[in-house]
Structure formats: structure tokens, C-alpha cells
Amino acid sequence: MLTDTRRPVIDANFESNIPGLYVIGDLGGAPVVKLAMAQGSQVADHIAAKPDARTAAASGDPNRYDLLVVGAGAAGLNAALGAQAHGLRVAVTEKNKIANTIEDFPEGKWIYAEPESVPAAGQLWLEGASKEDLLERWRKTVEQSRLDIRTGEGLVALKKVKGGFEVSTNQATYHTARVVLATGVRGNARELHVPGEERDTVFHRLYSPKHYRAEDILVVGGGNSAVEAALALSQQNQVTLSYRGPEFTRVFKDNRKKLKAAMEAGRIRVIFRSQVKRFDDGMAALEVEGAGVSTIKFHHAFVLIGADPPAEFLRSLGLRLEGDWTGSPLLASALVLITFLGIWLLGGKPPVAGHNAAGAALALAAFGSLVYSGVRGSRFAWLGVSFAIAYTIYSVKQAENFEFWPYRGWGARAFALFGRPWSFWYTVLYSLVMTVFGIQAAKRWGFDKGDRFQIWRYASLIGFQWLFFFLIPEFLFQWAVKYQWVGHKLATDPNFAGQAWRSYGIIYAWPLFFYTFFGGPSQVWIVWGAFLAFVIIPVLVLFHGKRYCSWICGCGGLAETLGDRWRHLAPKGKTSRRWESMNTVVLWAAVAVTILMLTRDAVTLFRKPADIGLEYYHLFADTWLVGILPVTLYPFFGGKVWCRYWCPLAKFMQILSGLYTRWGASRFAIHSNDKCIACGECSRNCQVGIDVMQFALKQEELNNANSSCIGCGICVTVCPMDVLTFSALPRSAAKLVQIESGDVGKLPENRDYEGYVFWL
Ligand SMILES: Cc1cc2nc3c(=O)[nH]c(=O)nc-3n(C[C@H](O)[C@H](O)[C@H](O)COP(=O)(O)OP(=O)(O)OC[C@H]3O[C@@H](n4cnc5c(N)ncnc54)[C@H](O)[C@@H]3O)c2cc1C
Ligand code: SF4
Ligand code: SF4
């Protein structure tokens, strides 16, 4: 199993941070053969369209190429075939054999040609077929094309030289104008690094289980490859499966069932918590936790513990990887500070003559340097830019004279335009940003993929934003009062008429928006606020889990739209999940402040703590945690920092949804079928960092008792094998559907159920 799944940073044409070096296929984010082939074709077309694409032939140097493709897998072969057809001089270097990844699949493995909706591109053939059939056709295509493929030549180093690259393999050195890197992510089988592992009886792949008969076989590993290998070998051999963990947590449900049967039949012996220390001649030393070292006999051993992520190799080539922190944090912080110092001189009232011009020059110079460092590759500098912008937006949004330094006393006025305060323009900006980036995201996930769920989701987010968080508070509320649409009594009640801002509470529920209940609100708001928080939200959660975050909320909306391009950067893993408990603290803080504020008039003792509590909650939760920090961090940790770690409403809904799930009442869950190929696309694109793949591999239900899923459906949309579906029906009804369809054990693979439930 891959641990570091970060990819090289590439642009829309697959070009990396090194001009002329392109990255495609599995390595460039295409998780299945068909998509890898498509990238191969596209990159060939792109390179061939360049004015200097065909210069090698004219150079007279037979060792010079227009394009060198590294890796002869689905992506690399299609790129090379395409480029050759466009008249480029092309060569392919391949570390092992042609299509080595597929070659390494066990005999007879069926290759799915997913996604079905995408036609196969380029010259390679692709339909659902056994690996042998597929490879036979590919070999014929390659032979007929007379493509120059150098097998057994692995890329070792790459140097940028005048006119292109000097490429060194373990056999030769080539000169080429451009390079396409298509080395996949599974090339380097992981090793145990124990003595004797190099013996010719120890393998890191299982090619043909049928070749082994009546032997003692040792298989090492705890993933699907190891379990499948053990199962296949156990047909004709006695197998011992050694795994360092206490149980198999990443194994397909079906494999677990088969393994259990094989263990019961005595064909496989599993030794958990064990580690191979040494391979000797026919004997392996195995250390078992709590039982010391023992030896076990083997004729052949298979170490199937995954592949080493190619991160180090890629960095050695000079490629920048997603999420790599570059540049100097100190320099970036200093430049941000100098920028703000300049802004203070510009707008504040320091006792220095000519401070305005000097301040402007200083701010411009420091901010310019920050941007320049960013362009030169410093990620810390971009963090500084992002912070300076987010901090400014939220600092001047405060009431006049309450702005944050360096804007105190003048920022709100300076940012007011056409007689409207900055808070108005902030809402306009917010809605516009959501619309522009929302349309882009809807295109990416909805229109381009023909996914109506995503189109409706983005339309809903943008619609809610414009109607409930802009038109109503800024215009409709005032008109409703002016023209008495709300009735004479309310329209003339100063508690109602003069407080347009309370209309945010129409959609924003307690505890996200708890102001509904304090400061002398009209009773209408109190009744509505209580009904929204304690009736509507709980019912919504029952049917849709936390979809409020991904369909309705403005905070979630900005994350889903502006933050969409960075969704893959969401922190993943156990530590990041533990950090989610921070929103419990914010929820309790909101509960405490609410109680204090509601009782402050009745209990004099609570007055001061209530005022202090509200002030600090406003400063920390409503400004820093909801605004400045998350927006600053969008490009670095994805858009869901606030929603995932700090939002008290998200926590409230999480608690409700988790309870409903435990009581068996929830209608919200994600199910998986048995087609997962462990490509990791679902986990990668989950904005709240859920390792969806682990649920898919085990075909385990993903719900709000075991995850903080917000039901955005992106994992369902990106899965190239259509593995994932939202739970459609209450469990009892789902069971009936399965029984009627004769498909017991699987949920119906029909996304239309989703629509059915959503509008229930
Ligand atoms: C268990 C499993 C099952 C799968 N089942 C399916 C399926 O049914 N359908 C489907 O569509 N996809 C499936 N996939 C995914 C599919 O295998 C990949 O998406 C596809 O192979 C990616 O193609 P690629 O050309 O990018 O990389 P690869 O096919 O991995 O090709 C990379 C090539 O580069 C070579 N190479 C590596 N390093 C170097 C180097 N330094 N120098 C030179 N050459 C190098 C390798 O030897 C290899 O030949 C499956 C994957 C796995 C692991
Ligand atoms: S698990 Fe899927 S539906 Fe849930 S939040 Fe992650 S991507 Fe969205
Ligand atoms: S469930 Fe996830 S890991 Fe499995 S095939 Fe789909 S996207 Fe890939």
C-alpha cells in the first residue's frame, strides 16, 4: 500500500515545474488504464503542436530525440505512439518489460475498462479483457508501429541542458528536447531490508501461482496482494502468511471470507504480529510478538508488502511535489510584517512627516517581494500572501474604530465604496467568488463528468449564497419592512425592522449563528431560531447526515468552490482526525456563551462573564477561526479547515448523525461494491480527509458514526470503477430490494436512488 501519494505539481498540459518535462498516467493522477491512455494521447497532441516539436531529425545526431518517453505502460506507450504518428523522433525507455505493471498482475486477471462513459483514446486497444488478451493486442500494436522501445533500461538521472535534456538510464545516455515521465507509481516493490532477501527463492511479486506445487510457501504482507497470493498458492501448497499487524484491516471483504475458509480448511496458517528477521537457505527466522524468534521452513517466499512511493526518486529529478514546503518561513514572516508596517505608515497616524508615501512604497516593495518569492518557488511566501489578503479582508470588516492593527481607525472608511460599507462589499465579493469558482467546480465535477448530483449541489450552494446571504440581508429584508410585506406589526417593530442582519439566522442555525437569541431580538427570530436548530436541522441530519455543510452553508460553500482546487491537500491520517475534536471545544464554548447570555439579565453574577465570553468568542471563533485562518490556509490544507476542525454546528450535526446511525435510524451512508482497485482517488479528493479507500476495500459502510463525512459525493464522482454509492433506503427497505433483486450482500448500484432519497 502506498503511503506517500503526493504527485508532482503539473499544469493543465501535464508539464511539471521543469519546462519540457511532462508527467502522465498513474504518476500524473490517472488512476486507471483508460485515463492513463487518454493522458498519453493528449500529451502527444500537445507536444506535437509546438512549433519546435520536430528538430531532432535536422540535427543529424542519431542519438538525439524530439521526445523521450520513460515507462512503457498504458500512458507512456500511447504517448509515444501518438507522438510518432505526429512525425516526432521518439524513443521509449522501460525499466523492465513492456507494460510491466499489467504483466505483473496474476495470470488471467481481468482488466476492467472503466470508466465506461469515456471512450478509449489513442492507438492502444482497450476493452474489458484478461490481462493476457490485452497484452497480446498491445504487443502487436507496438510491433506494427516499429516503435523504438529500449526495455531493461531504467531512468537514473535527468539533467536540463541547452536545447532540452540529457537523460541517463542504467545503459545509456540520450539527448532529447522533451521528456514524458510515465513511470507509474507501482514500479518499486517495497522490501523488508533483512539479510537473505536477495536469495533467488525470495520474490517481491507473484507472477504465476500455478508453477508452485506441494511446497512450503511463506507469504509476507497484510494487504490484498498478499492475501490473494496466499489464497492462490494454497490451492496446491501449504502456505504460511506472516503479517506484522494484529488483524487484516485493509483486505477486501470477499478476500477475508476466502481466507477464513482456507484457514479453517488448514490450507493457510496465519501468524499475526510477526516479522521476518532473516531468510536462510530454506528457513526463515520469524520474530513473533511476545513469543520470541522461531524458524519456519519454506521452499519459496513472497514478500508482498506494497510499493515504495516514488517521492524520493521524483525529487532527485528536480520535480516539485504537491504539498512540499519550500522557501524560508522567517523571510516570509518578515516580509508580511514589513508589508503591514508599510500599511500602518500609509493609513495610520504615526508622528512622522511624509509617512503616507513612505508607507505605500514600503508596503508595495515588501508585498511585491513576497509575491516574487512565491513565483520563484517559495511556498511559505504564498502562505504570507494568502495571510496578508485574508487578514486585511477580515480586519476592515469590523465596525469603524474596531478594525485590527494596522487598519484601526481608518480601514473601514478606506474600504467603503459608493456609500456602502466594506461589510456590504465583502458580501458582494464573497458571493461573486463563490459564483465564479462554483461554476468552475460544477464544470469539473458536474458537467465534464455528466454528474447531475454535483451540478445540483453547486447550484444549491450558489443559490443559497445569493438569496439568503446577500439579497435578503442587503435588500429584500429592507423592502419587506418598507412595503410591509411582513405585516404592519413587524414592519413597525424597531426590534425587528432595524435589525436586517438577523435575517442571516433564516439559514444559519445555532450554534453557528447564536446571535439570533441575544440582544433583544424580535420573538419571530427566537421562535424561528429554535425551530431551525432543534427541529429542521435534526430532521435534515436524519435523512442527509451533514449535507447542510456541502449543499447549504455559506462557509462550506466558499470551501467547496474557492477551496475546491486544493481539496486534495486536506490533511489525512490519524493525527489529523484527532485534531477534529477541537470542534467539541468550540461547541462547548458556544453552549456556555449562549447560556450566559440568556441568563445575564436574570443573574447579575453572569453579566460580566457573559460579556467577556461573547467578546472573546466573537474574536476567536467568529473572526480568526471562521475567517482569517481557514481562508489563509485554503491553498495549503484544502478548504475545510473551519468546517472540519472548528465549526460548532458541524459538531452538533455530527453528534446527531452519529447517534441516528448507532440507533439504526439514519438514512445516510456510503456503500461500496467489490470492484475497488485501490487507486486512492476517493481518499485523495475527500475534503475532510477521510480515507474512503479503506472503507471501499473492506466494503464497510461509511457513515457519521465512523467518519465526519459531509455527503459532498465527490468520492462517488471521482471513483473510476463506480465502486461507491450513497445509501438509498432505510436498511430494512434496502434489504428487501436486495432480496427481490436476488443480489443479497450488495447494495443496488444505482445512483438514481440518491435522488430519490434526497428529495424524500
Ligand atoms: C491490483 C491492481 C488492479 C488494477 N486493476 C485495474 C483494472 O482492472 N482496470 C484498470 O483500468 N486499471 C487497473 N489498475 C490500475 C492500472 O494498473 C494503472 O492505472 C495503469 O497501469 C497506469 O498506467 P501507467 O502507464 O501510468 O503506469 P504503469 O502501467 O505502472 O507503467 C509504468 C511503467 O514504467 C516503468 N518504469 C517504472 N520506473 C521506471 C524507470 N525508472 N525507468 C523506466 N521505466 C520505468 C514500469 O516498469 C512500467 O512498465 C489496477 C492496479 C492495481 C494495482
Ligand atoms: S467521504 Fe466522500 S462524500 Fe464524504 S466528505 Fe469525503 S468525499 Fe465527500
Ligand atoms: S473506491 Fe476509491 S480507491 Fe477504490 S477504485 Fe474507487 S476511487 Fe479508487
Side-chain angles (χ1 to χ4, degrees), residues 296-635:
I296 81 159
K297 207 170 121 198
F298 75 93
H299 292 98
H300 287 99
F302 295 88
V303 178
L304 303 171
I305 53 174
D308 271 330
E312 251 173 63
F313 172 65
L314 297 173
R315 277 205 198 96
S316 75
L317 300 180
L319 283 165
R320 193 179 309 144
L321 302 193
E322 292 167 342
D324 272 356
W325 282 100
T326 45
S328 154
L330 264 180
L331 179 69
S333 315
L335 287 172
V336 172
L337 208 65
I338 298 170
T339 305
F340 284 138
L341 206 63
I343 292 173
W344 176 68
L345 286 173
L346 167 73
K349 296 189 185 73
V352 195
H355 60 84
N356 304 91
L362 192 64
L364 268 178
F367 194 70
S369 309
L370 210 52
V371 173
Y372 179 72
S373 304
V375 173
R376 294 290 308 265
S378 164
R379 198 153 179 254
F380 281 111
W382 285 128
L383 181 65
V385 171
S386 182
F387 175 73
I389 295 172
Y391 180 81
T392 299
I393 288 174
Y394 287 90
S395 301
V396 295
K397 194 162 106 47
Q398 311 305 312
E400 196 158 348
N401 291 322
F402 286 91
E403 305 95 332
F404 299 161
W405 183 88
Y407 302 96
R408 176 70 51 99
W410 61 276
R413 256 177 297 117
F415 282 76
L417 292 169
F418 303 111
R420 289 280 192 169
W422 169 242
S423 56
F424 172 83
W425 293 113
Y426 164 81
T427 316
V428 174
L429 182 72
Y430 198 106
S431 309
L432 281 176
V433 165
M434 258 182 76
T435 308
V436 171
F437 290 97
I439 290 170
Q440 281 184 11
K443 181 176 177 308
R444 180 181 183 197
W445 303 118
F447 292 105
D448 288 356
K449 292 186 185 291
D451 194 323
R452 280 185 301 150
F453 181 89
Q454 296 300 345
I455 297 171
W456 278 112
R457 194 167 73 83
Y458 282 104
S460 162
L461 283 171
I462 296 170
F464 269 99
Q465 174 62 30
W466 279 108
L467 182 60
F468 291 100
F469 308 129
F470 177 70
L471 284 177
I472 291 182
E474 299 297 342
F475 296 100
L476 292 176
F477 183 90
Q478 283 85 342
W479 295 344
V481 167
K482 188 173 168 190
Y483 301 112
Q484 304 209 348
W485 298 338
V486 286
H488 177 74
K489 199 167 165 234
L490 273 184
T492 50
D493 174 358
N495 269 2
F496 182 84
Q499 297 186 334
W501 59 269
R502 286 196 188 273
S503 57
Y504 278 102
I506 297 174
I507 295 295
Y508 280 147
W510 180 93
L512 177 61
F513 187 75
F514 61 9
Y515 301 97
T516 291
F517 300 115
F518 344 121
S522 153
Q523 275 199 346
V524 174
W525 292 125
I526 299 179
V527 173
W528 172 252
F531 186 66
L532 176 63
F534 303 113
V535 179
I536 296 183
I537 292 282
V539 171
L540 203 71
V541 169
L542 177 66
F543 289 99
H544 302 296
K546 292 164 67 187
R547 283 211 177 111
Y548 177 95
C549 306
S550 58
W551 281 74
I552 295 171
C553 180
C555 308
L558 193 69
E560 294 282 346
T561 52
L562 176 63
D564 181 63
R565 66 203 49 231
W566 300 296
R567 59 167 52 243
H568 57 283
L569 298 177
K572 314 235 171 8
K574 277 191 194 139
T575 313
S576 75
R577 276 202 303 282
R578 273 200 292 273
W579 280 56
E580 284 175 12
S581 56
M582 283 189 288
N583 56 17
T584 310
V585 177
V586 184
L587 175 61
W588 282 116
V591 170
V593 175
T594 307
I595 293 171
L596 286 171
M597 287 302 291
L598 291 178
T599 51
R600 76 184 282 288
D601 292 337
V603 188
T604 332
L605 200 68
F606 287 176
R607 228 167 257 179
K608 203 159 179 201
D611 294 343
I612 295 174
L614 186 63
E615 192 181 329
Y616 278 95
Y617 189 89
H618 174 72
L619 177 68
F620 287 111
D622 281 352
T623 307
W624 278 91
L625 296 188
V626 81
I628 299 171
L629 288 180
V631 178
T632 297
L633 296 176
Y634 271 16

Side-chain angles (χ1 to χ4, degrees), residues 24-27 30-34 36 70-76 93-97 99-102 105 109-114 153-155 182-187 313 677 721:
I24 58 165
D26 234 352
L27 199 57
V32 282
V33 171
K34 200 182 262 183
V70 185
T93 67
E94 162 58 51
K95 187 161 84 172
N96 298 305
K97 289 184 251 171
N100 198 69
T101 301
I102 296 177
F105 288 158
K109 165 158 170 40
W110 188 258
I111 308 291
Y112 297 97
E114 305 278 350
E153 273 199 48
L155 171 73
T183 47
V185 291
R186 309 181 198 260
F313 172 65
I677 55 165
M721 306 297 286

Side-chain angles (χ1 to χ4, degrees), residues 182-199:
T183 47
V185 291
R186 309 181 198 260
N188 308 316
R190 191 175 293 153
E191 295 182 4
L192 290 167
H193 300 292
V194 296
E197 200 174 357
E198 68 292 344
R199 286 175 181 277

